[in-house]
Each structure stands twice: as structure tokens, then as C-alpha cells.
Amino acid sequence: MTTTLQTPLEILTHADAGVMTLTLNRVGKKNSITSAMYGAMAEALESANHDPAVRVVVIQGHESIFSAGNDIGDFLNNPPSTPDAPVFCFLRGISTFPKPIVAAVCGPAVGIGTTMLLHCDLVYAGDNAAFSMPFVNLGLCPEAASSFLVPQLMGYPRAAEALLLGEPFMAETALDMGLINRIVPPAEANALAQRQALKLAAKPLSALIETKRLMKKGTTGIVAERMAEEGASFGRMLQEPAAREAFTAFMERRKPEFSRV
Ligand code: COA
């Protein structure tokens, strides 16, 4: 049976054969994510969690762009300042989601476009995928527990290049670091994610859930704690001069001037 749930069109939600697929659908703005989109994704995950017909979730974008990260206009005008802000609800939802999550990533994956992948179980990337976590360049600190998970995944030296320098890295490097599972031509990434999700959906759900829980048991507590600490710093730093300058510069299409901050 195929159902299409009612969510804003910038997040398409489609459920079929035990797989719920969330598609970032704001390509004109490079799939940057607004508060409303985080809210829709958080709600979709919540409903997928409680719906026994959903066994696996797929998150995908477009073959030219996964996500340019948080909508920068939203950061300026509607900054998430409390733990119940939609972005933090989404991050708590994805990081504690008990069923498998498969992602397909093509093109740029900026900020949360990369860090949300740390909470997916299988990640398939197009050979055009470019990952970056430029939080420092925006006067911010990491989110999504990436300050813990990125050094753990890739080791401190490479984490420092990714998180202090904010340097982008391509799919081959992401594969080498263990962030992604496989590289395919961009036109094939979404289809591969669906095939793998269907394979998972055919397995016993209770065994999938228990296996995922056990694999994550060693980090569940620290991830939640770190995410809360990062969120408090992130919310404060959004209001400070360095971030305001970075966002204003992006909107004015100029280089930021950080000499006074
Ligand atoms: N928030 C809001 N709008 C964004 C955006 C973001 N994060 N990223 C891109 N856009 C918008 C641009 O303002 C532009 O809008 P316009 O056509 O109305 O002027 C449109 O999307 C296209 O972006 P553009 O920068 O022209 O595309 P590009 O192909 O040259 O570059 C990126 C793509 C993703 C590399 C680039 O857009 C980028 O670096 N974006 C910001 C990423 C970022 O810092 N995110 C925050 C992470 S915490």
C-alpha cells in the first residue's frame, strides 16, 4: 500500500512497503533547512517510530544537492534558542530513532547536512558528494553531538581539519573515514538507498531494533549529554557578533570580516 502523508512540500514524506522516505525538496535554496522543515522531519520521525507499518526510514535529497545546512535567514531572524526549537527536536529524534535509517547523499552536504549522517545507519553517496562542517567559519560550534562523534569516527587530527578549519571533504575521503558505506553515480544513490532499505524492511524488526540499540549502547548517554551542551552553546553563539557577521555577509554575498570578533 502507498500513502503520502500531509507535511509541508519542502519535506516530502512517502511510505511504501515498510519504508518511509523523507525527501528534502527545497532545491532552489539548495535544500537549506528551515524551522518548519525541521518540525516536519521531527514529526515524521515521531510518527515513523510509533507506526508498526514503518520499519525503516530513508532520508534523501536531490542528485545535485543534499543540503546546504540550516537556512541562514532563519538563523538571523528566528534563531533556535531553547531546547524545544524544531532543530533540536529533529536532532533528538534522529539520534534516538530506534529503527534503521538509510541516507542517500549527493552534492554538497553542509553543516547539519553532514552531521545528521552521523545518526544514520547506512549512508550511500553520489561521487559528487561534498561534506563540510563549517561551524567555526560561521562563528558557531558543532551540533548533533558531532564534537564527540566526529573525533571518535575519524580520529582527532582529521576531525580538527574538518571542525576547526571547516575544510570540505569529498566522497572518497568520507568513505575512507567510515562516514559513508558506498560511492555510486549520483543518479543511482537514491535507488540504492531504497533497495537497501527494502532489504532491511524484510528482516525481523525486533532484531533490527535490538541490534541497533546494543551497537549504540556505549555512546547513547554521552551523545544525548553532548548534544544538549552543544545546543546551549550553539543557541548563545548564534546571537553573538561573529555569527551575526557571518550570516549578514552570506546574505550580502561578501566575505565575512572577523578582525573585531
Ligand atoms: N540558507 C539560506 N539560503 C541558502 C543557503 C542557506 N544555508 N544556502 C544556499 N542558499 C540559497 C542562496 O542564498 C541562493 O538563493 P538565491 O538564488 O535566492 O540568491 C540559492 O540558495 C543558491 O545558492 P548559491 O550559493 O548561489 O549556490 P551555489 O551552487 O553557488 O553554492 C552551496 C551551493 C551549498 C555551496 C552554497 O550555497 C553555500 O555555501 N551555502 C551556505 C552553506 C552554509 O554555510 N550553511 C550553514 C551551515 S551551519
Side-chain angles (χ1 to χ4, degrees):
M1 191 184 82
T2 299
T3 53
T4 302
L5 305 178
Q6 290 301 310
T7 52
L9 287 178
E10 288 171 342
I11 299 294
L12 301 176
T13 308
H14 176 80
D16 187 25
V19 178
M20 177 183 277
T21 302
L22 307 184
T23 306
L24 295 159
N25 183 39
R26 196 181 183 226
V27 177
K29 292 288 183 186
K30 300 290 169 184
N31 281 346
S32 53
I33 308 176
T34 61
S35 291
M37 292 164 74
Y38 287 122
M41 289 193 290
E43 269 179 37
L45 287 176
E46 179 74 15
S47 116
N49 187 1
H50 294 109
D51 183 349
V54 176
R55 303 165 75 85
V56 183
V57 166
V58 171
I59 300 178
Q60 63 184 20
H62 184 264
E63 69 182 62
S64 67
I65 175 80
F66 182 62
S67 174
N70 205 102
D71 182 282
I72 289 180
D74 244 21
F75 264 163
L76 268 175
N77 303 322
N78 185 21
S81 53
T82 56
D84 61 355
V87 59
F88 298 132
C89 292
F90 166 67
L91 286 175
R92 283 195 299 276
I94 193 170
S95 64
T96 58
F97 193 71
K99 303 174 187 177
I101 305 179
V102 183
V105 182
C106 298
V110 186
I112 199 167
T114 289
T115 60
M116 75 167 82
L117 304 175
L118 298 163
H119 304 285
C120 296
D121 302 288
L122 299 172
V123 182
Y124 298 103
D127 56 21
N128 62 346
F131 304 87
S132 59
M133 294 174 280
F135 302 113
V136 164
N137 303 346
L138 295 166
L140 296 170
C141 66
E143 33 72 322
S146 56
S147 65
F148 168 68
L149 292 170
V150 170
Q152 194 199 41
L153 180 72
M154 48 180 90
Y156 192 87
R158 292 199 289 192
E161 280 188 342
L163 286 171
L164 293 178
L165 281 174
E167 286 192 341
F169 50 95
M170 300 303 291
E172 287 289 349
T173 307
L175 185 65
D176 181 44
M177 289 168 172
L179 178 66
I180 63 174
N181 290 83
R182 206 185 299 175
I183 303 172
V184 294
E188 294 172 21
N190 288 0
L192 174 59
Q194 284 295 325
R195 283 202 304 281
Q196 299 297 78
L198 286 170
K199 276 191 217 166
L200 287 167
K203 296 183 189 294
L205 182 58
S206 57
L208 289 172
I209 288 176
E210 187 60 4
T211 301
K212 177 168 174 171
R213 185 188 73 78
L214 288 165
M215 286 201 292
K216 296 206 167 235
K217 188 174 163 61
T219 55
T220 304
I222 189 162
V223 163
E225 193 185 306
R226 185 66 60 88
M227 206 177 270
E229 183 173 351
E230 290 173 345
S233 298
F234 197 92
R236 170 178 53 76
M237 294 174 88
L238 278 171
Q239 314 278 359
E240 291 179 351
R244 309 298 290 179
E245 166 59 12
F247 305 149
T248 307
F250 179 80
M251 302 304 270
E252 294 174 355
R253 291 189 170 268
R254 62 171 171 81
K255 280 198 157 150
E257 169 51 61
F258 291 130
S259 60
R260 295 211 185 102
V261 293

